[in-house]
Amino acid sequence: MARFYLGELEELVLLIVAMLREEAYGVTVVAELQKQAGREISISAVHAVLHRLEEKGFVESRMGGSSPERGGRRKRLFRMTAYGQQVIEQLRDTRNAIWDIIGNPSAS
Amino acid sequence: MNPQPPRRIVRLIEQLAPRAFQEDILGDLDEMFAADLKRGNGYARRRYTLNGLGFLFKSFFWTQKRQPQYTMMIGSYFKMARRSLMAYKTTTSINILGLVIGIATALVIFTVTRFEKSFDKFHTQAANTYRLVRVSGSDMSEFRTGISLPVPPAIKAEVPELVEVTSMEYFGGANVEILNASGTTVDRYREEAGFTFVQANFFNVFDYRGTDLKWISGTASLLDKPNTMVLTKTMAQKYFGDNNPVGQVIKLQRKWDFTVAGVIEDFPSNTDFPFTVLLSYATLPQLNGEQRMNDWVSVSDSHHTYITVAPGTSTADVEKKIAKTHAAHTWKELSDSRHYLLQKLSDVHFNAKFGTYTRRTISKETLMGLTAVAIFLLLTASINYINLSTAQSSLRAKEIGLRKVMGSIRGQVMVQYLVETFIVVMMAAFVALGICQLLIFYLQGLLNMPSSTISLPAMDTILVVLSIVVIITLFAGFYPSLVLSRLNPVATLKSKFATDRVGGFSFRKVLVVAQFTLTQIMVVGTFIIVMQMRYFGNTDMGFDKDNVIAARIPVRDPVVLKGMEDKLRSQAFVNDVSFSYTLPGGVRRNGHYADIGRSGASSMHDFQVYEYVSIDENFLSLYNIKLLAGRNLVIADTARNILINETLLKSLAFASPTEVIGQQLKMGDQTSVTVVGVVSDYYSNSMKEAPGNIAMVMQPENYSIVSIKIGTPPSKIALQNAITVVDKIWSETFPEFMFSYVFLDENIAAYYVQEDRYAKLFQLFSIVLLTIGSLGLYGLITFVVNRKGKEVAIRKVLGASITNILTLFTREYLLLIVLSFALAVPVSFYFVNDWLSNFTNHVSLNWYYFVIPGIIVLGVALLVILGKSMRAATLNPVDKLRYD
């Protein structure tokens, strides 16, 4: 198993990127973090996390989709890479396996 | 107005944010600002400020990608390059040496071609200037520059398209006497070239813009007056020193007085008008007589006419109008045989058919050939570099591997390598620049460049050198850098064997073959050129040319000549003396041509053009020209008795020499002559051409040359003494004329000056190419020998003989060289055959003309390879094996 390190916030952001599919960028990620997890994270922190995820190869980005309220500036749209997908699936499996053990105390 | 986000924050982020992120950061902030506005302007601005400043505390915001790393590396590139160049000193010096030789020679060639191409380019009207030339003869094979005197004024008057028409008569050398105020001679000079009659509007057509040619005193219009002259600065200084030359009187040819009216700077070296003394064209009627000015038939080949037209004028149209004007003034026979053409000024310097006053033309093909040679040179030097570098890549593989492990990306390794190449090429170019100047200085004569052109315009040269450096750096550095950067770091560091196979070995072979093919082409070509030159020098021209000195006689008085002849003959060293109109061969020979036909000839086609030579009774014996039939001319013969040569005999369709003896022939002017003898053919022109039609007659009134045959064998000193004695007799006979003579054999050799020059240049280039090739071979073999040291030792231990080892090293390269020879032969055959076909008399191509130079190249290569591998083969194998 390849070693990787994924912080708690990173994992959350990565999941949200996966959830938002083609519409993941700074503002939407901030909004979803608030909506799904009730977390108030500043935009700059989100940017930093996204940037880190990209460096680790979990997501990739491209520029696109400008709008008038952005002053005509383009968004940096993020998408999960295959590697990122693999990583969160592994995380989920590991957790599920552990929860399986926790959730069934009678078995112990 | 919509509320805006705080400007100060926007600007802060604009300035600080990394380029790549600026757009999406500001976009996101704006978008959030727009959403926050629902909760009030102040709230939104506060949020914006907080969010914006938040970015400043994130580390990603401050990491700039790559850029700083790159700038840091440049110093490192140079440092590393210096270290690795120092580490492989042999290779570096072979590389630099090869490049120096190649670049220096190429620079010399570029300098020459640029100089030749610059001729008469600087005139404002250059693009609209043409020389009026003639093509004559029934087969249009005679290319002449001479224009009859009445033609220029007539066309100027009748052809409206002509803006300027300027004529000049190049006079060449002259007897010069400087007169003092009372008209007596104070100084005397004999000049050999540079005197010319020009019209004032010469300077309208040729304004020499941008050159140093300026009027020091006087103006061009002074040349409109008869009997005026303008001196160049050098001549003015020669004749008058520091005195003011204006107003002084100079007597030319002992007859004509000219008043100095102006002084002009010297003409530049890159002009085809090599004038030193300008005489007013308006003086010509006095010199030639008014009648000659209206003579449409007679032509002097040194009387040239240049015209300018308005831009965009059709030259075909103008040519037609000129032909019409000519036809209107002459009769049909004459106008039908003379076709006037306009030759572009830009063609004058490159067209040998018409020639120039300097007798110095160079064909565009020659220039292209020279440029090709320069490119050959640069190519071979670059190939050396590529070969040695790729061969070395196995040595450097570990270095590259380590670099990559430490994080170098491929691009950086390539740049590293290109920087190394750049340093090597730059160093080579610097040295080459110095050598180039030296070479030009030493090769002046060979290159036919006046010494004044040595100091080149610095900017130009530097630009040429820089572009050579850049091109070679890219050409020679790209492939090795590609090969080196391609190495897999793991393989290079892990296994010693993997490193032995890298470096495109087969490509290197291809390059060696290419290099030696170029060299062989040059060497074979050179060899054949040299053989042809030998042939010119050694083949019997049909007359004796050795030990003959000839001088132009200023007086034709038979008594004076007889006196001189007797004095000469009384000298022990004089074998024979002869007076004649012209010499049997050699450059700047007088020539007089006329028509002759059988007695029944009536139309133009029945007549032959022949050279009419006036001789005395000693001419044939002095020059050892054989009499085939009949008798020699004697003093009693009048102009009605002639000798003809074999070619004329055949041209007139007589079967045998005996048949023509006693026959009447008819001259173009209807007078009839009797053939009394037939002489064997001799080459009256260069051996590039076939012998022409010649008839000889005894006309003492036409004698203008004295030939003196010196008894053989004269030593150098005896010859000098002989000339001193002849000089003394000369001054006794012609006290007012300086003695100026030529050796006939030297005069004949002058026919081949151009070819001789090429022969020498090609020898030089061949040696240079061979040297560069051998250097490369030396480098390669050194490398192979070093790498295979252990293998050789083991082989020797196992019983291999020295011969075995030498074969191991040489076989492969010999095969390559033989292959390149096979490739070179057809190419050089094509070019050499083409070149030889320029000459009527040339060597026939033999197989050994190709094989001998091939063997020479092979021999040199073998010497290089054996010399180096011999060391490896004779080394004690124990020494090699003990330490590893």
Side-chain angles (χ1 to χ4, degrees):
Chain A
M1 182 182 161
R3 292 187 313 167
F4 55 83
Y5 170 76
L6 206 56
E8 188 263 347
L9 183 59
E10 286 175 12
E11 187 185 348
L12 208 54
V13 171
L14 185 57
L15 284 168
I16 285 169
V17 168
M19 185 191 82
L20 286 169
R21 292 174 193 279
E22 297 299 313
E23 266 306 308
Y25 65 99
V27 179
T28 51
V29 172
V30 169
E32 287 304 316
L33 276 172
Q34 160 74 26
K35 197 166 145 198
Q36 304 296 335
R39 303 270 292 261
E40 281 281 356
I41 310 284
S42 76
I43 178 77
S44 53
V46 167
H47 267 257
V49 170
L50 286 168
H51 182 66
R52 212 149 55 226
L53 287 174
E54 189 172 15
E55 272 194 331
K56 288 180 178 174
F58 299 141
V59 298
E60 56 194 11
S61 72
R62 66 187 166 86
M63 301 298 288
S66 62
S67 63
E69 66 265 32
R70 297 176 60 84
R73 298 190 183 89
R74 287 175 301 165
K75 304 162 181 168
R76 181 176 294 274
L77 292 166
F78 288 88
R79 196 170 59 193
M80 188 146 68
T81 61
Y83 178 47
Q85 177 82 33
Q86 206 182 321
V87 163
I88 52 168
E89 275 171 13
Q90 256 173 26
L91 268 176
R92 189 187 58 195
D93 290 350
T94 312
R95 290 198 179 148
N96 283 349
I98 297 170
W99 272 114
D100 279 353
I101 300 166
I102 298 171
N104 196 358
S106 61
S108 58
Chain B
M1 195 189 125
N2 283 336
Q4 292 292 313
R7 279 221 55 79
R8 223 178 292 168
I9 304 296
V10 173
R11 207 175 302 156
L12 190 70
I13 290 175
E14 268 174 357
Q15 274 167 13
L16 294 177
R19 274 274 170 82
F21 298 121
Q22 190 185 331
E23 186 177 352
D24 64 284
I25 287 175
L26 285 171
D28 281 3
L29 285 174
D30 268 18
E31 197 176 331
M32 292 180 82
F33 180 77
D36 287 340
L37 278 176
K38 286 177 210 138
R39 298 176 58 178
N41 196 2
Y43 174 78
R45 287 177 70 88
R46 267 199 311 280
R47 283 262 297 170
Y48 192 99
T49 309
L50 273 175
N51 278 331
L53 290 177
F55 277 100
L56 303 185
F57 296 95
K58 298 289 178 278
S59 63
F60 84 91
F61 191 84
W62 298 106
T63 41
Q64 301 261 328
K65 269 201 170 173
R66 295 264 167 78
Q67 274 151 328
Q69 281 171 325
Y70 253 79
T71 45
M72 295 283 287
M73 290 289 284
I74 288 176
S76 149
Y77 286 142
F78 278 93
K79 188 187 279 174
M80 285 300 153
R82 206 193 51 153
R83 284 181 188 164
S84 61
L85 291 177
M86 293 300 280
Y88 304 106
K89 283 201 187 72
T90 324
T91 318
T92 306
S93 37
I94 289 178
N95 274 337
I96 292 183
L97 196 60
L99 284 168
V100 163
I101 300 173
I103 295 175
T105 321
L107 273 179
V108 170
I109 294 177
F110 287 138
T111 311
V112 171
T113 51
R114 222 179 25 187
F115 172 69
E116 297 288 353
K117 282 183 184 162
S118 71
F119 266 68
D120 288 306
K121 272 261 176 72
F122 29 71
H123 310 297
T124 316
Q125 288 294 319
N128 307 317
T129 306
Y130 298 85
R131 176 164 69 177
L132 190 60
V133 293
R134 258 171 343 109
V135 181
S136 309
S138 47
D139 51 354
M140 307 277 275
S141 62
E142 255 186 87
F143 298 91
R144 309 305 281 266
T145 45
I147 302 294
S148 296
L149 290 171
V151 174
I155 58 172
K156 173 71 178 134
E158 293 170 40
V159 182
E161 282 89 344
L162 303 182
V163 180
E164 293 278 4
V165 175
T166 186
S167 298
M168 61 204 84
E169 167 106 36
Y170 189 66
F171 191 76
N175 269 301
V176 178
E177 287 168 75
I178 314 296
L179 306 183
N180 64 10
S182 56
T184 45
T185 305
V186 289
D187 240 331
R188 208 166 262 169
Y189 299 92
R190 168 74 207 168
E191 302 293 353
E192 295 301 335
F195 285 65
T196 191
F197 290 99
V198 294
Q199 293 178 318
N201 65 354
F202 175 85
F203 291 98
N204 297 353
V205 179
F206 305 103
D207 58 3
Y208 289 89
R209 196 179 44 142
T211 68
D212 294 332
L213 192 77
K214 308 255 155 48
W215 287 86
I216 296 171
S217 73
T219 57
S221 59
L222 294 166
L223 286 165
D224 272 339
K225 277 182 252 151
N227 297 90
T228 53
M229 81 176 2
V230 170
L231 299 175
T232 55
K233 196 170 152 195
T234 310
M235 296 312 270
Q237 231 142 38
K238 179 175 177 184
Y239 294 154
F240 302 104
D242 295 330
N243 298 333
N244 181 15
V246 175
Q248 303 276 7
V249 178
I250 289 179
K251 190 189 275 294
L252 294 185
Q253 309 297 71
R254 305 201 32 81
K255 272 187 220 151
W256 304 301
D257 288 353
F258 287 87
T259 311
V260 179
V263 181
I264 193 169
E265 288 283 351
D266 289 351
F267 279 66
S269 54
N270 52 347
T271 179
D272 280 316
F273 303 100
F275 303 156
T276 55
V277 174
L278 308 176
L279 309 167
S280 63
Y281 189 85
T283 324
L284 278 182
Q286 275 177 50
L287 269 53
N288 292 331
E290 283 295 338
Q291 192 196 341
R292 178 73 198 280
M293 301 308 286
N294 291 314
D295 180 353
W296 286 77
V297 184
S298 298
V299 171
S300 153
D301 259 340
S302 51
H303 184 251
H304 294 191
T305 299
Y306 284 84
I307 61 142
T308 59
V309 294
T313 312
S314 147
T315 51
D317 255 14
V318 176
E319 280 169 3
K320 256 184 229 145
K321 287 186 185 165
I322 291 173
K324 225 172 103 191
T325 304
H326 186 253
H329 287 271
T330 55
W331 57 97
K332 192 170 170 350
E333 289 265 279
L334 186 69
S335 57
D336 277 357
S337 69
R338 287 184 186 174
H339 302 271
Y340 287 93
L341 298 173
L342 295 178
Q343 181 192 21
K344 277 195 176 127
L345 180 63
S346 57
D347 184 53
V348 167
H349 188 66
F350 306 104
N351 195 335
K353 275 190 279 192
F354 293 107
T356 61
Y357 287 143
T358 44
R359 293 161 191 276
R360 186 181 183 294
T361 56
I362 186 162
S363 68
K364 287 258 162 84
E365 288 79 25
T366 310
L367 286 178
M368 264 161 58
L370 283 174
T371 312
V373 170
I375 292 168
F376 274 21
L377 288 164
L378 294 178
L379 260 180
T380 35
S382 305
I383 287 177
N384 266 4
Y385 190 88
I386 296 175
N387 276 347
L388 289 181
S389 318
T390 51
Q392 252 197 352
S393 61
S394 56
L395 289 177
R396 301 193 58 181
K398 274 226 167 78
E399 177 201 330
I400 309 288
L402 203 58
R403 278 180 187 285
K404 286 200 165 178
V405 168
M406 297 306 284
S408 274
I409 53 167
R410 190 169 178 189
Q412 285 172 323
V413 176
M414 285 183 77
V415 172
Q416 164 74 52
Y417 207 81
L418 284 174
V419 168
E420 264 176 45
T421 314
F422 177 76
I423 290 176
V424 168
V425 179
M426 200 65 190
M427 276 161 72
F430 256 109
V431 182
L433 202 58
I435 291 183
C436 160
Q437 305 279 320
L438 274 179
L439 272 178
I440 292 179
F441 183 76
Y442 283 112
L443 298 179
Q444 265 178 63
L446 204 56
L447 300 170
N448 203 2
M449 302 245 300
S451 51
S452 55
T453 50
I454 293 175
S455 52
L456 306 154
M459 251 335 267
D460 272 28
T461 318
I462 286 168
L463 272 180
V464 170
V465 172
L466 280 185
S467 41
I468 289 179
V469 167
V470 170
I471 290 169
I472 294 192
T473 302
L474 291 178
F475 179 74
F478 186 72
Y479 179 73
S481 72
L482 209 65
V483 169
L484 282 172
S485 62
R486 195 166 55 195
L487 299 175
N488 179 354
V490 177
T492 58
L493 291 176
K494 193 159 63 182
S495 150
K496 202 168 188 272
F497 296 106
T499 61
D500 276 353
R501 284 194 300 269
V502 295
F505 206 65
S506 59
F507 183 69
R508 204 144 71 221
K509 281 181 190 164
V510 172
L511 287 181
V512 169
V513 170
Q515 195 178 29
F516 272 86
T517 307
L518 295 180
T519 310
Q520 302 256 26
I521 292 172
M522 277 299 287
V523 174
V524 170
T526 307
F527 188 78
I528 292 172
I529 292 174
V530 171
M531 292 314 276
Q532 175 66 23
M533 293 312 296
R534 283 237 178 120
Y535 177 83
F536 277 146
N538 295 345
T539 310
D540 183 17
M541 292 181 79
F543 63 90
D544 248 355
K545 61 178 196 275
D546 299 322
N547 301 322
V548 176
I549 58 175
R552 203 167 282 268
I553 49 174
V555 171
R556 284 173 184 159
D557 183 346
V559 183
V560 174
L561 294 186
K562 183 68 186 147
M564 175 168 153
E565 186 182 341
D566 289 343
K567 275 187 202 161
L568 285 170
R569 279 184 189 281
S570 68
Q571 300 297 326
F573 60 83
V574 173
N575 252 11
D576 215 340
V577 179
S578 166
F579 294 102
S580 55
Y581 173 66
T582 181
L583 291 169
V587 296
R588 296 195 210 185
R589 199 170 62 86
N590 290 344
H592 182 82
Y593 298 84
D595 296 334
I596 194 166
R598 283 182 172 232
S599 51
S602 53
S603 83
M604 278 296 257
H605 292 285
D606 297 332
F607 284 98
Q608 294 292 329
V609 176
Y610 77 106
E611 185 183 352
Y612 200 37
V613 186
S614 193
I615 60 167
D616 66 2
E617 70 276 16
N618 302 318
F619 190 82
L620 294 187
S621 65
L622 191 150
Y623 284 111
N624 202 8
I625 297 168
K626 284 171 205 66
L627 200 58
L628 297 177
R631 60 172 176 85
N632 191 2
L633 294 174
V634 293
I635 299 170
D637 279 316
T638 60
R640 302 257 173 244
N641 287 345
I642 64 167
L643 301 177
I644 65 172
N645 74 345
E646 287 172 277
T647 306
L648 183 54
L649 179 86
K650 280 175 212 133
S651 303
L652 292 171
F654 286 105
S656 77
T658 40
E659 186 198 336
V660 77
I661 303 294
Q663 290 278 346
Q664 298 275 314
L665 295 179
K666 192 157 75 176
M667 312 275 287
D669 59 2
Q670 307 297 321
T671 54
S672 64
V673 290
T674 311
V675 179
V676 296
V678 177
V679 296
S680 65
D681 273 340
Y682 60 86
Y683 288 94
S684 55
N685 291 311
S686 77
M687 297 211 35
K688 299 177 211 169
E689 295 156 44
N693 294 323
I694 291 175
M696 295 165 167
V697 67
M698 184 165 292
Q699 275 177 324
E701 65 272 24
N702 284 338
Y703 293 161
S704 57
I705 293 275
V706 59
S707 311
I708 303 161
K709 173 93 172 173
I710 308 291
T712 45
S715 67
K716 252 218 144 78
I717 300 156
L719 205 60
Q720 265 315 312
N721 291 339
I723 287 166
T724 321
V725 175
V726 173
D727 191 1
K728 207 172 129 249
I729 295 173
W730 177 277
S731 1
E732 284 165 23
T733 320
F734 312 112
E736 287 161 338
F737 295 92
M738 314 266 286
F739 179 53
S740 130
Y741 64 95
V742 292
F743 282 102
L744 183 61
D745 49 355
E746 284 172 11
N747 201 25
I748 286 170
Y751 276 140
Y752 314 114
V753 168
Q754 191 92 334
E755 284 79 10
D756 202 43
R757 202 173 281 142
Y758 294 151
K760 290 201 180 112
L761 274 182
F762 270 76
Q763 285 176 50
L764 181 78
F765 295 151
S766 297
I767 292 170
V768 168
L769 269 177
L770 197 54
T771 310
I772 298 177
S774 304
L775 269 178
L777 212 51
Y778 179 83
L780 274 184
I781 207 79
T782 306
F783 173 77
V784 172
V785 165
N786 287 346
R787 293 301 284 175
K788 290 196 173 174
K790 212 189 243 175
E791 180 189 334
V792 170
I794 293 171
R795 276 174 193 268
K796 280 188 83 174
V797 169
L798 294 178
S801 68
I802 290 180
T803 329
N804 286 343
I805 309 266
L806 290 183
T807 325
L808 174 81
F809 285 127
T810 40
R811 195 181 43 207
E812 182 187 334
Y813 286 100
L814 283 195
L815 271 175
L816 294 185
I817 290 168
V818 170
L819 176 62
S820 65
F821 176 68
L823 290 174
V825 164
V827 182
S828 41
F829 178 83
Y830 174 79
F831 285 112
V832 162
N833 213 15
D834 198 44
W835 183 74
L836 285 179
S837 65
N838 286 330
F839 312 120
T840 315
N841 304 289
H842 60 78
V843 289
S844 43
L845 288 175
N846 263 314
W847 59 269
Y848 56 81
Y849 284 1
F850 296 92
V851 172
I852 292 176
I855 289 175
I856 292 174
V857 173
L858 200 65
V860 170
L862 209 59
L863 220 63
V864 168
I865 298 171
L866 284 183
K868 192 70 203 179
S869 45
M870 197 66 183
R871 278 251 307 279
T874 52
L875 222 64
N876 185 353
V878 176
D879 292 340
K880 191 76 197 172
L881 290 176
R882 189 188 285 158
Y883 299 107
D884 290 340

